[in-house]
Every structure is written in structure tokens, then in C-alpha cells.
Amino acid sequence: LGSQLIGTEDQTFGEVKSKSGVPGSNGHAQPMKLDKDSFNMGNLDFLWYMLNQLSKLDTQIESNLKKMDRQVKDLDAQHADFVIDTREDGKKSIESYIFNFKWDDSKYPRANLNEVYKQMHHRVMLIEADLRSKTQAFQDKKNTLNQIIKKEGGNLLTRDLTDVLKKPVVDDSDFVYSDFLTTAVAVVPKSSVENWENNYEEWNDYIVPGTSKRFQVDLKDGYFLYRVILFKNSLEEFSNYCKAHQKITIREFNYDPQESLRNESKKNILKTETDQMTKSILDLCKKYFSDLYSAYIHLKVLRLLIDSVLRFGVKEKIFTCCVRPNDGKDRKIHAALTKIFAEPGNMQMYGTKEEIDDTEDFFPYACVHISIP
């Protein structure tokens, strides 16, 4: 928050700390040393313009931070809290970074406000574009792997038979392919097994007698796999008859002893690549979260300074501090802070939008909320 001084900075902070109920069970307050005079503030119209631009960028950054948070939690259920990497003080927890905030001139040199905004916006857009591109490539790879795994699942009516009818379940001699003959694979429901074994030769005049063979596939899904050899030109007629009259499905299948090996190799390569990309995306999200969160807090500070100048004037000395209310005590702390900073007799002017029946909150101090985390 930002406000006019009540005496000295120490006296003002003493008022905030003693009368707001912070610290409490998990509340905290800390003064922030911010020098607004190090920024070229410009005129009022420019400040209103910058406040609007920063508000839009604020929303964009929050959206990206939430996406990264979800991405990391989706990929790593054991993920601990994010840390913020600072050049001067190394890695810090988010809370420590906020309460011990120092403006990073190496990232955002204090000069014209519009230049600082442009640097923030440029950094956000670069991170957003790079993460979107790499996340999409990772998702495409993951989808390809999932499609292969999905084909390996399901029942015999839908799953890829290449990974079912392979050695030692089948032998090369089980399948006949010639100019005139072909091998059909039948998916037979348990209830139709006896019917198939006793009558399949009668369902088409061009079936080679005695060529039905049951493969020992134990999938426990209520279906059994048989092969039968027949003339090529009768395959479609036989398939249609089985489907229409016997509730038996003839699957298209061309046996290739090397196909299952190629599929397994492809799956293993994809799995390795996906695992590597998972780690890469995790590391990237953590790095970009740190970078973006730093921009996020710098932006919040900039919004606070501009709002304070618009409220109290560019020449007025501004007191700034960071307050974390106890859980569920936001309204209570706003009420306490209002009593500290409101002009005598004007208390009724201030409050949340619900309390003052307005479209937004209005307090006797500038206030910028940090909603992440």
C-alpha cells in the first residue's frame, strides 16, 4: 500500500503495525523503500495512460503465471514451492522476495516510465511465445505417444492387432498370402465360439476347409481371436456375412513379423523423448515463473507508485509498505487502515465496493493486491 506520511516513515509504519492487527497468526507487514523520484513520472494524462497499460499487462502476467503453475503441478505432483532467482541475493522464496523487494535496475533501468513498461511487455511476450511453442511441441509428442498406448488398450474389436498377434502367440506359417489366397482374422464373442468352430466353413463357398485356428490370447474381454484362410475375392462377402448374421467381426490385418518390433522401438523412442521433454518443460516453467514473477512484482510496485502520485501529488513524500493480512482478515485490515489514514469526518467515503455501493473499492490510501500466490 502507499499513503501520505503520518509524521516520519518509522512513525507511520508503527501506526500500521500496531493498529492493523498485523502481524498475527500468519500475517506480516514490512516497509518498502521505494524512491519515486528516481522515475520520470511525466504529466497526469501520461500517468493515467500508464496505469491503464500496466493494469492490462498485470492481467496478462497473472494468466501466464497461473498457466505455468498448473503445468508444473500436472507434470510433477511432488513439486515444492516456486523460488525467485535474484542476481544479488540468489534464490528466494516468493514471500521473502516480496517482503525484501529491491528494484532490479539491471532488468528494468529506472528512467522514463514508458520505457520500463516496454521492457516488461517485451519480456512477457518473449516468455509467452517461447513457452507456448515448446509446450505445444511437448503436447504433440505426448499425444502421439498416448495414441500408441491407446491402440494397445481396448478390446479386440478396436486395439491394434500388430501388438497382439506376434511371436510366440503366432508363427509365420499361421498366415498365408498369395495371388489367390489370404488370411482373415475373426474376433469371435465368447457366446459365438461354438457356432464358429462348428459352422464357419458353411458361411462361404471359398473358405479353405480346416484352416480355422484359435490364437491363445488371454485378454479377458469376452472375445477370442481366430484365423481362417480363404480366397481373396471372397473376403469382403465373408466379412459382411459374419457381421450381419453371426455378430462376428473380421478385422483387416496383414501379418508382418517385424512390425511389432518397429512399433515397440517407436514407442520406446517416443517415451524417452517425452520424458526428456517433460524435464525440459518443468525446468523452463520454473525458470520462466521466476523471471515473470519478478516482472509481476516490479509491475505491482510501479502501479502503486503511479496510483500514489495520482492520489497525493508528485511532490508529496509517499510511505509504502507491504502487508499480508491474517487468513480471512482482509476486510478487517482495510477497516483498520482506513481509520489510520482517513481524514477525520470522512470515514463514510471509504470501504469495499459493497460497503460504499460503488463499482470498485475506495480507500484513503493506494492499494495494489498481489493475488499470486
Side-chain angles (χ1 to χ4, degrees), residues 163-341:
D163 296 315
V164 177
L165 298 179
K166 60 184 180 180
K167 295 180 179 180
V169 173
V170 302
D171 188 77
D172 293 353
S173 61
D174 289 331
F175 298 90
V176 175
Y177 301 104
S178 68
D179 292 339
F180 300 103
L181 296 175
T182 190
T183 303
V185 174
V187 182
V188 182
K190 185 176 181 180
S191 59
S192 301
V193 166
E194 185 177 353
N195 183 28
W196 167 273
E197 292 182 347
N198 293 332
N199 302 306
Y200 76 94
E201 294 178 4
E202 300 174 6
W203 297 342
N204 192 277
D205 293 335
Y206 295 94
I207 290 175
V208 179
T211 56
S212 172
K213 178 178 179 178
R214 177 172 160 180
F215 296 117
Q216 298 303 312
V217 178
D218 184 19
L219 296 178
K220 299 179 181 178
D221 60 3
Y223 293 95
F224 296 89
L225 278 182
Y226 286 81
R227 74 95 207 257
V228 65
I229 299 172
L230 69 167
F231 281 77
K232 280 184 177 180
N233 57 11
S234 65
L235 177 60
E236 183 176 356
E237 179 185 349
F238 178 63
S239 177
N240 291 338
Y241 175 84
C242 287
K243 182 178 181 180
H245 300 284
Q246 305 298 334
K247 308 302 181 187
I248 291 172
T249 301
I250 303 299
R251 294 282 307 271
E252 288 188 19
F253 178 74
N254 290 306
Y255 175 69
D256 181 349
Q258 299 302 315
E259 184 67 16
S260 64
L261 297 177
R262 287 193 292 267
N263 287 351
E264 189 66 25
S265 175
K266 180 180 178 181
K267 185 179 74 171
N268 289 337
I269 291 171
L270 277 171
K271 191 175 185 309
T272 299
E273 290 175 348
T274 302
D275 289 344
Q276 291 172 345
M277 290 182 78
T278 298
K279 184 180 183 306
S280 177
I281 290 293
L282 273 171
D283 292 342
L284 192 66
C285 281
K286 292 173 184 178
K287 176 182 179 296
Y288 280 165
F289 187 97
S290 171
D291 201 1
L292 210 53
Y293 200 87
S294 174
Y296 179 63
I297 299 302
H298 280 77
L299 183 148
K300 293 288 188 182
V301 167
L302 208 53
R303 286 185 62 188
L304 179 67
L305 289 176
I306 293 173
D307 196 8
S308 298
V309 168
L310 288 170
R311 281 171 175 266
F312 310 119
V314 70
K315 295 182 179 180
E316 189 75 25
K317 191 168 178 61
I318 304 297
F319 165 76
T320 54
C321 78
C322 186
V323 177
R324 183 186 64 200
N326 296 314
D327 290 342
K329 302 296 183 182
D330 296 49
R331 288 198 177 198
K332 186 175 181 180
I333 199 171
H334 276 304
L337 291 171
T338 298
K339 288 180 181 179
I340 295 171
F341 294 110

Side-chain angles (χ1 to χ4, degrees), residues 311 334 351-354 356 358-363 369:
R311 281 171 175 266
H334 276 304
T352 63
K353 58 186 178 182
E354 294 85 7
I356 61 176
D358 205 338
T359 56
E360 57 184 37
D361 301 338
F362 183 55
F363 301 109
H369 291 278

Side-chain angles (χ1 to χ4, degrees), residues 20-163:
S20 65
V22 175
S25 58
N26 61 352
H28 188 59
Q30 183 79 21
M32 301 179 76
K33 300 294 184 181
L34 302 175
D35 181 14
K36 65 177 174 55
D37 296 330
S38 60
F39 294 92
N40 180 5
M41 288 291 181
N43 59 36
L44 290 179
D45 286 341
F46 174 71
L47 289 178
W48 281 114
Y49 166 77
M50 285 307 307
L51 199 60
N52 182 57
Q53 293 298 101
L54 289 170
S55 179
K56 293 177 183 177
L57 186 58
D58 193 336
T59 301
Q60 185 178 358
I61 292 177
E62 285 191 0
S63 175
N64 279 284
L65 287 172
K66 289 175 182 176
K67 286 178 183 177
M68 281 185 265
D69 183 44
R70 287 194 301 270
Q71 181 81 77
V72 169
K73 287 177 180 176
D74 287 344
L75 296 176
D76 181 10
Q78 305 302 317
H79 169 66
D81 294 335
F82 287 98
V83 295
I84 310 303
D85 199 356
T86 63
R87 300 191 182 195
E88 290 187 5
D89 304 317
K91 296 182 185 299
K92 287 186 171 185
S93 68
I94 287 178
E95 180 176 313
S96 176
Y97 178 74
I98 294 172
F99 281 109
N100 298 282
F101 175 79
K102 297 175 185 176
W103 189 275
D104 190 344
D105 286 292
S106 64
K107 284 185 178 179
Y108 308 107
R110 280 174 278 194
N112 182 285
L113 288 180
N114 197 40
E115 289 303 313
V116 178
Y117 163 76
K118 285 181 179 179
Q119 288 174 3
M120 287 184 178
H121 185 266
H122 179 66
R123 186 177 292 271
V124 171
M125 296 305 291
L126 284 178
I127 289 175
E128 188 177 85
D130 188 47
L131 192 59
R132 185 191 306 115
S133 172
K134 287 183 170 62
T135 301
Q136 185 60 55
F138 167 67
Q139 195 60 51
D140 289 344
K141 186 79 69 176
K142 190 176 176 181
N143 288 342
T144 302
L145 177 61
N146 287 339
Q147 286 171 4
I148 291 175
I149 294 173
K150 185 178 180 181
K151 286 181 179 180
E152 294 177 351
N155 59 38
L156 292 173
L157 292 171
T158 58
R159 69 179 297 171
D160 188 351
L161 294 181
T162 301
D163 296 315

